[in-house]
Amino acid sequence: MNAASPVIGDSVLRCSGLGFHVRDAELLHGIHLDIRRGETLGLVGPNGSGKSTLLKLLAGVRVPSRGDIHLNGQCLKALSRRTIAQTLAVVEQQADTLDAISVFDAVALGRAPWLSALSPWSSEDDAIVLQALRDVDVAHLKNRNWHSLSGGERQRVHIARALAQRPQILLLDGPTNHLDIQHQLAILKVVQALSVTTLIALHDLNQALICDRLAVLDRGRLVALGKPLEVLTPQCLQDTFGVHGHYLVDPFDGAQILRFRSV
Ligand SMILES: Nc1ncnc2c1ncn2[C@@H]1O[C@H](COP(=O)(O)OP(=O)(O)OP(=O)(O)O)[C@@H](O)[C@H]1O
Ligand SMILES: [Mg+2]
């Protein structure tokens, strides 16, 4: 994302000709996407356009019906789950429930790909988990049971678990869903400050404007890819999202903001 971004480099996650169908339903068609090292790529599109499906394919959670995915130049299907998890962390839209464990233990699950008989849990893992809890403002909840948390608190704990994984690539599906406005902005700030490559599915198009690039999905197809202001044109907003939209200038900082009207 803009100011704090590291230099954006070569491709770290790439898919070509990606397709996915369930029985006779074609959910994704011929997706070509190159995610570049260090960038924050926003994924936007209406409900049901295929954002979560695409993220699951890129994370190796689902197997594509067509096409290839390469992670750091290696074919995803040839990599072990452990290798993938050391590189890539995912926060799903409907994350699993983790009933009978504490918040600390839920976030500690993020360290699993790094642990082995030769590399058991250490004080460094404790420090990484505590830092992840602090990053999303849930350190005060660390001894609480997961099931006692509110929806937004759970969402933040899931993000902390992904941060504790210390991935090169973060795939976030609606990370600001369920969050109050203060925590929405705080999570975006945390993501912005990370020196990791991030693919983030967002519904709030004004929040999406802070991404380096945006990919727009419509009915399972990639219909636009590029800089946010070049991609989210009034025509795109009408054709893909079915709304009228125009830009206003925020008198506070001169930033462009979108205002919408129904068609
Ligand atoms: N197992 C399935 N069988 C049939 N259709 C499915 C299945 N899984 C997903 N779909 C359909 O695929 C389409 C894309 O779903 P997906 O969850 O990827 O959309 P999305 O862009 O993430 O939507 P949202 O903004 O609501 O999160 C939807 O129409 C959904 O109903
Ligand atoms: Mg979704």
Side-chain angles (χ1 to χ4, degrees), residues 117-134:
L118 292 177
S119 179
W121 186 272
S122 71
S123 55
E124 192 189 344
D125 297 295
D126 275 321
I128 289 171
V129 170
L130 287 172
Q131 185 59 50
L133 289 162
R134 281 195 290 269

Side-chain angles (χ1 to χ4, degrees), residues 41-196:
L41 178 61
L43 192 56
V44 296
N47 289 139
S49 55
K51 302 179 296 298
S52 297
T53 307
L54 178 57
L55 286 172
K56 283 178 190 156
L57 296 182
L58 293 174
V61 174
R62 288 207 184 159
V63 179
S65 314
R66 278 191 220 96
D68 296 306
I69 301 171
H70 285 87
L71 178 60
N72 286 327
Q74 290 184 286
C75 191
L76 193 69
K77 57 187 176 211
L79 299 175
S80 68
R81 290 243 43 101
R82 183 176 168 89
T83 304
I84 295 172
Q86 286 177 345
T87 313
L88 187 150
V90 195
V91 177
E92 294 197 43
Q93 189 171 17
Q94 259 106 38
D96 305 337
T97 39
L98 301 163
D99 282 314
I101 65 173
S102 72
V103 165
F104 185 94
D105 288 346
V107 176
L109 290 173
R111 299 304 300 151
W114 299 102
L115 302 177
S116 67
L118 292 177
S119 179
W121 186 272
S122 71
S123 55
E124 192 189 344
D125 297 295
D126 275 321
I128 289 171
V129 170
L130 287 172
Q131 185 59 50
L133 289 162
R134 281 195 290 269
D135 283 344
V136 297
D137 191 24
V138 288
H140 60 294
L141 300 173
K142 69 183 161 86
N143 297 321
R144 285 267 297 277
N145 282 328
W146 156 263
H147 70 84
S148 71
L149 301 182
S150 76
E153 288 164 349
R154 287 181 187 200
Q155 180 75 344
R156 278 147 57 205
V157 170
H158 275 299
I159 296 167
R161 196 246 321 128
L163 297 179
Q165 217 170 311
R166 291 284 165 101
Q168 287 173 26
I169 306 168
L170 199 50
L171 305 183
L172 299 169
D173 195 354
T176 52
N177 298 353
H178 309 296
L179 299 190
D180 63 61
I181 187 64
Q182 184 194 1
H183 286 107
Q184 287 183 34
L185 298 181
I187 290 295
L188 291 172
K189 204 167 164 189
V190 167
V191 170
Q192 210 168 352
L194 291 172
S195 59
V196 300

